[in-house]
Amino acid sequence: LAKILSEELQGRLVLEEFEGNPFLRDFYNDRKRWAFQTQINFLISRYYQQLRLQQVDLFADKIISDYMFAKDKLFAQTSLDDNEMLLYKKLATIFEKNITYPDLVIFLQSDVDRLMENIKKRARDYERDIEWEYISQLNEVYNQYFFSYDKSNLLVINTNDIDFVNNKSDLDQILQVIKTPFSGSKFFNPIKKSVWFIMFYKIIIILLAIYSMARLYEYYYNRKSISKNKNKLNKINSIKKNNIKDAEFEEIQWKLY
């Protein structure tokens, strides 16, 4: 969605630099063993990316990113033990003081099955064996965080039954709600148009077109009939007038004789 928005809104796109984390593959093989190293690496990497962004694009019109800095802490909550989390929070608290919150956050909300389907579609080899329970836990942490989020404007979009990447109708709905100004939090449930609904809609359009053509034909036919009847009436009146004149002429002739 971030890539699409950057094109639609003519903004600068900022993507998360996750591929540079040397511990990520090991983390998915053994989360408990590699969680702390992976999370600290992400924390530092995301922090410096955000700093570079603020320095270079301080006066940029639009900056669109596919992640927010707080994401790191959400992942840490699902992966680190209590002692690791204490150390992590000390570092994160220091870093957060220098981070600017975005004007608008968009949370694409989905259930776990849909998230697993999305992970399968993007086909990253190190995510092949990712566990349903881990994604479920992570999804719950995200939902809890955004339930009480108040740092900036928040748009929550239910994406369970839509495909804004391959379905233009779904994308248009999302773009419309994003471009409509609002303040605070907003929840959006897109209308999913089924194949049967689309077919029914097309049939209605065709029937309306046929009806309009029939009415138009009826209108012109009636006008033509009225015109013919008017011509006939004029001829009858003309004949009547001529007959009256002939009768009057004969009467005058008779009187003369």
Side-chain angles (χ1 to χ4, degrees), residues 64 93 169 179 213 246:
I64 299 167
T93 300
S169 176
K179 292 178 181 179
M213 290 296 293
D246 291 341

Side-chain angles (χ1 to χ4, degrees), residues 242-257:
N242 291 332
N243 290 338
I244 291 172
K245 288 180 180 179
D246 291 341
E248 289 176 348
F249 179 73
E250 289 177 359
E251 184 181 352
I252 294 171
Q253 281 186 325
W254 181 78
K255 287 181 179 179
L256 289 173
Y257 287 106

Side-chain angles (χ1 to χ4, degrees), residues 41-57:
N41 187 282
F42 269 133
L43 177 65
I44 295 172
S45 173
R46 288 163 179 159
Y47 174 67
Y48 280 112
Q49 185 181 24
Q50 291 291 314
L51 285 186
R52 291 196 304 272
L53 186 63
Q54 292 174 194
Q55 292 168 359
V56 174
D57 294 303

Side-chain angles (χ1 to χ4, degrees), residues 102-119:
D103 297 317
L104 172 65
V105 174
I106 301 173
F107 174 38
L108 302 179
Q109 191 178 50
S110 296
D111 60 28
V112 181
D113 289 335
R114 179 60 189 269
L115 292 173
M116 293 296 290
E117 182 183 334
N118 292 343
I119 291 171

